[in-house]
């Protein structure tokens, strides 16, 4: 029996008929990582797809090549347009290369003894455990009907409202004034209940955070020993 199913599913993450509302079909696993100068437990995000990186590179070339031709053979106005097209194309091309080559293993929520790191954003967001007041399941219904589909989010409430920055905070406050982050669970490559209960466990048990630097935390997540 999959012990992940024994973890309690909160009401916000249930459908109207009372069943658990899934967030995709995650296939990743927790891991010990060293990132941003700290060792911690990685709860990974879904890796960027190969197709997305290839599309960015192709579109970038479609802009960059005509831009280069305009710069080489065009009149004054054409050169200006070529520069704009060329810069836009180079940016898209670089984004595609980055998507294909960046290290995926460190992308996600990283729990360290001192902080919760959100590493898929730049600059990386660091939320000290000491400022977190609650880890809260959230749901957003995609329509007015009671039977409309809903998406699950993980909310982090904190005393320091500026700890995640204005951009992330603006999204989070739509769910509640004390929230500093609202993470869409469909972006994570781990069972949503495991993610929720892992954060809640280490928030409620400060003495256990020392194990986040090693294999004990990975084993705890794998065995679902989080309640």
């Amino acid at each position: 029996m999959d012990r992940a199913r024994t973890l309690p599913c909160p009401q916000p993450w249930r459908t109207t008929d009372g069943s658990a509302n899934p967030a995709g079909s995650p296939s990743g696993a927790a891991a010990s990582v060293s990132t941003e100068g700290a060792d911690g437990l990685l709860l990974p995000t879904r890796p960027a797809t190969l197709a997305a990186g290839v599309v960015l590179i192709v579109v970038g070339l479609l802009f960059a090549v005509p831009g280069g031709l305009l710069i080489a053979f065009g009149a004054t106005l054409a050169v200006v347009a070529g520069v704009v097209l060329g810069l836009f194309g180079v940016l898209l091309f670089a984004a595609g290369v980055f998507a294909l080559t960046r290290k995926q293993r460190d992308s996600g929520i990283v729990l360290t003894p001192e902080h919760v790191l959100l590493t898929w954003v730049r600059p990386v967001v660091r939320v000290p455990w000491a400022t977190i007041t609650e880890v809260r399941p959230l749901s957003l219904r995609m329509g007015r009907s009671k039977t409309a589909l809903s998406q699950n989010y993980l909310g982090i409430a904190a005393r320091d409202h500026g700890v995640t920055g204005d951009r992330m905070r603006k999204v989070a406050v739509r769910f509640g004034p004390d929230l500093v982050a609202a993470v869409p669970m469909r972006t994570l490559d781990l069972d949503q209940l495991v993610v929720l209960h892992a954060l809640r466990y280490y928030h409620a048990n400060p003495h256990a955070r020392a194990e986040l630097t090693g294999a004990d935390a990975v084993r705890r997540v794998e065995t679902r020993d989080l309640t």
Side-chain angles (χ1 to χ4, degrees):
M1 181 177 179
D2 186 356
R3 290 190 61 189
R5 297 181 182 178
T6 67
L7 291 172
C9 181
Q11 186 58 42
W13 286 0
R14 293 183 177 275
T15 62
T16 53
D17 64 5
S19 60
N21 182 29
S25 301
S27 58
S32 291
V33 297
S34 182
T35 185
E36 300 297 321
D39 296 330
L41 173 71
L42 172 68
L43 309 176
T45 54
R46 299 180 190 276
T49 64
L50 177 64
V54 171
V55 168
L56 285 172
I57 289 175
V58 171
V59 174
L61 290 174
L62 290 176
F63 280 98
V65 172
L69 293 175
L70 288 174
I71 294 172
F73 303 107
T76 302
L77 290 177
V79 169
V80 174
V83 170
V84 174
L85 286 175
L87 287 175
F88 188 59
V90 168
L91 289 174
L92 289 175
F93 183 87
V97 172
F98 177 75
L100 293 178
T101 59
R102 71 188 179 107
K103 292 192 299 182
Q104 296 291 340
R105 65 184 181 86
D106 293 346
S107 180
I109 301 175
V110 178
L111 310 184
T112 76
E114 301 295 331
H115 299 86
V116 174
L117 307 182
L118 309 181
T119 65
W120 64 88
V121 293
R122 288 293 182 269
V124 168
V125 169
R126 297 173 179 265
V127 185
W129 285 108
T131 195
I132 296 175
T133 57
E134 185 184 0
V135 179
R136 187 182 307 162
L138 308 167
S139 180
L140 178 64
R141 194 169 300 282
M142 311 304 291
R144 296 184 178 181
S145 169
K146 291 183 178 181
T147 58
L149 296 176
S150 61
Q151 294 183 358
N152 296 339
Y153 288 76
L154 182 74
I156 299 177
R159 298 182 185 89
D160 182 359
H161 290 170
V163 72
T164 58
D166 291 340
R167 183 178 178 183
M168 190 169 288
R169 165 86 171 144
K170 285 179 180 179
V171 175
V173 294
R174 298 177 182 177
F175 293 96
D178 60 337
L179 294 171
V180 297
V183 180
M185 299 310 293
R186 67 181 183 277
T187 64
L188 293 173
D189 201 21
L190 200 63
D191 185 279
Q192 61 183 358
L193 296 180
V194 173
V195 176
L196 171 67
H197 287 285
L199 267 80
R200 283 184 161 180
Y201 176 83
Y202 287 110
H203 178 245
N205 297 277
H207 64 277
R209 293 176 198 158
E211 71 183 30
L212 288 168
T213 61
D216 287 345
V218 176
R219 284 193 291 268
R220 183 181 297 280
V221 169
E222 289 176 345
T223 60
R224 286 25 176 189
D225 185 17
L226 300 167
T227 56

